[in-house]
Amino acid sequence: MITTIALDLDNTLLNSNKEISATNERVLKQLHKNGIRVVLCTGRPLPAIAHLVQQLDLKQPNDYSITFNGGLVQNNASREILAQTTLTKDEVGVLYQDATQRHYPLDVIGPNGVYSLVELGKSTYEASMNKMLPFKNINFAELPADETFGKVVSSAEPQVVTATRAGLPAEIDQHFHIVPSREELLEFLPGGVNKAVGLKELLGHFGEDLTNLMAFGDQENDLEMLQAAEIGVAMGNAIPLIKQAANAETLDNNADGVAVYLQKYFKL
């Protein structure tokens, strides 16, 4: 039985204006009221999606979000951490050395905001986040050694991101799970971290497993989640890899694809 709906955000639940449509909002609120868990799954930290949590009224004691693409499972209301995997400064340093040699930008996401390593060149990440998180411009030497970090990202033109990924040395692959969340953003997560890992932790907390999961996504960072779910739903605008991995497909994100599939499945 499906008890939990996991939703990627950009180009899945959110339309091209980065908004939850009235139709998607209405259907998800109805299902949540009926006892179905609605779990937002994103690369962003919880403060950056607080407005979406608020819009969907996901503030009950058992409401959680999966953030940092699976690296952090956190209660929406209390902010209590259920599960977390992070990176140390030394681990970020492995990536920094490669970025210095091959000239690509890096931003490091910490517990209270984002550190832009401006000695590598200021990236496009701050502009794309639209003031959802505080940013601090620093050099790598200034990165706090007593903090841990959820992920590192490289935000640039698509051709730069493609070249960055193609040229990564084996040492980087050993330290990180590397995945694009969109064509202009490459994410470096702790090894073994993905959205399915976070969802497995969350479902286990409730005495359930991935057979109770329905998941929606469109990009490569949704792959493991859709493969692991009992019902993996690809958006109409999903990349071919995701459509091949899913066992169902719906309309695109600008046609209320999430709501359309849910209404049919749950007979709303």
Side-chain angles (χ1 to χ4, degrees):
M1 181 178 71
I2 299 300
T3 64
T4 305
I5 300 166
L7 298 153
D8 172 57
L9 294 182
D10 290 321
N11 298 313
T12 296
L13 177 59
L14 304 183
N15 59 26
S16 294
N17 294 323
K18 295 190 178 296
E19 297 171 341
I20 300 175
S21 72
T23 300
N24 280 339
E25 177 183 343
R26 175 178 56 79
V27 170
L28 288 169
K29 282 183 173 179
Q30 182 179 349
L31 288 169
H32 188 245
K33 185 177 180 180
N34 291 347
I36 300 293
R37 288 185 211 96
V38 175
V39 182
L40 304 184
C41 298
T42 177
R44 306 173 195 170
L46 193 54
I49 63 168
H51 61 298
L52 304 176
V53 169
Q54 185 68 34
Q55 182 180 350
L56 295 176
D57 293 334
L58 302 178
K59 300 296 289 289
Q60 300 304 309
N62 285 331
D63 284 332
Y64 288 79
S65 291
I66 307 295
T67 59
F68 293 113
N69 279 321
L72 180 60
V73 184
Q74 194 168 16
N75 187 280
N76 292 343
S78 68
R79 301 295 177 95
E80 179 185 358
I81 294 173
L82 181 63
Q84 184 176 26
T85 306
T86 58
L87 298 166
T88 65
K89 182 176 180 176
D90 285 345
E91 289 173 312
V92 175
V94 175
L95 186 56
Y96 167 75
Q97 291 299 325
D98 184 62
T100 300
Q101 295 170 10
R102 297 202 297 121
H103 309 293
Y104 54 88
L106 293 177
D107 291 270
V108 184
I109 293 75
N112 301 307
V114 182
Y115 297 103
S116 292
L117 303 185
V118 291
E119 64 200 290
L120 300 171
K122 181 70 174 177
S123 78
T124 59
Y125 191 54
E126 183 171 5
S128 72
M129 290 299 290
N130 196 26
K131 299 182 179 179
M132 287 187 287
L133 289 171
F135 277 71
K136 186 175 183 179
N137 295 332
I138 64 168
N139 293 327
F140 177 75
E142 301 171 283
L143 190 67
D146 59 347
E147 288 186 13
T148 56
F149 310 99
K151 65 177 181 177
V152 183
V153 302
S154 184
S155 178
E157 294 297 318
Q159 61 269 24
V160 175
V161 169
T162 299
T164 296
R165 189 183 190 192
L168 290 170
E171 183 181 16
I172 300 295
D173 285 324
Q174 293 168 5
H175 279 85
F176 302 92
H177 176 212
I178 303 156
V179 63
S181 55
R182 51 184 185 269
E183 62 179 1
E184 69 275 10
L185 186 66
L186 188 63
E187 306 207 11
F188 300 87
L189 308 169
V193 165
N194 58 63
K195 291 180 180 180
V197 170
L199 286 162
K200 185 177 180 180
E201 290 279 358
L202 178 60
L203 286 160
H205 174 69
F206 292 109
E208 299 174 4
D209 60 31
L210 293 165
T211 62
N212 300 113
L213 179 67
M214 176 187 291
F216 292 79
D218 74 297
Q219 280 289 333
E220 190 174 337
N221 64 328
D222 303 315
L223 178 63
E224 294 88 356
M225 174 174 75
L226 266 65
Q227 289 175 325
E230 181 72 12
I231 302 174
V233 186
M235 303 302 294
N237 52 287
I239 61 173
L241 177 68
I242 292 301
K243 290 187 177 183
Q244 292 165 9
N247 51 26
E249 186 174 334
T250 188
L251 302 181
D252 69 41
N253 64 311
N254 288 317
D256 298 325
V258 168
V260 167
Y261 189 87
L262 291 174
Q263 285 174 310
K264 181 178 179 181
Y265 182 86
F266 288 100
K267 298 179 173 59
L268 299 179

